[in-house]
Amino acid sequence: LGKLYNSIGLAHRNRTNYAEAISYYEKALEHFAQAKINDRVRIEIANTKNNLAYIYHKLGRDDEALSHGEGALKV
């Protein structure tokens, strides 16, 4: 389900509907947090955090972008 939310977030991002994209990416992270952590889930978490970093950067919210980007690297 987290991967599906991530995909829907990407579709909204591609349409520059950033508020909706952020919402779906956050839902994805909620679902990944409930999953049994393994390498595949870690990759999905990092990917989602990277997607959030991209959007926040586009919105000029660079502190949030850096936070999510650094979070992706830590995963």
Side-chain angles (χ1 to χ4, degrees), residues 16-40:
T16 65
N17 188 354
Y18 295 138
E20 284 294 316
I22 290 169
S23 176
Y24 278 100
Y25 289 145
E26 288 174 348
K27 288 177 186 179
L29 288 174
E30 290 172 14
H31 283 279
F32 293 137
Q34 297 173 12
K36 182 179 177 183
I37 299 297
N38 58 37
D39 287 344
R40 185 69 191 143

Side-chain angles (χ1 to χ4, degrees), residues 6 28-29 31-33 35-50 68 71-75:
N6 198 8
L29 288 174
H31 283 279
F32 293 137
K36 182 179 177 183
I37 299 297
N38 58 37
D39 287 344
R40 185 69 191 143
V41 173
R42 285 185 189 94
I43 290 168
E44 294 297 335
I45 291 169
N47 185 45
T48 304
K49 286 183 170 287
N50 186 61
H68 283 288
L73 287 172
K74 287 179 184 176
V75 172

Side-chain angles (χ1 to χ4, degrees), residues 3-20:
K3 192 168 182 171
L4 175 61
Y5 280 130
N6 198 8
S7 295
I8 294 170
L10 178 60
H12 282 290
R13 184 179 102 181
N14 288 340
R15 298 178 93 184
T16 65
N17 188 354
Y18 295 138
E20 284 294 316

Side-chain angles (χ1 to χ4, degrees), residues 41-73:
V41 173
R42 285 185 189 94
I43 290 168
E44 294 297 335
I45 291 169
N47 185 45
T48 304
K49 286 183 170 287
N50 186 61
N51 290 340
L52 279 166
Y54 175 85
I55 289 176
Y56 284 126
H57 174 68
K58 293 290 278 185
L59 294 172
R61 295 164 62 179
D62 289 331
D63 288 341
E64 290 165 287
L66 287 169
S67 177
H68 283 288
E70 290 169 355
L73 287 172

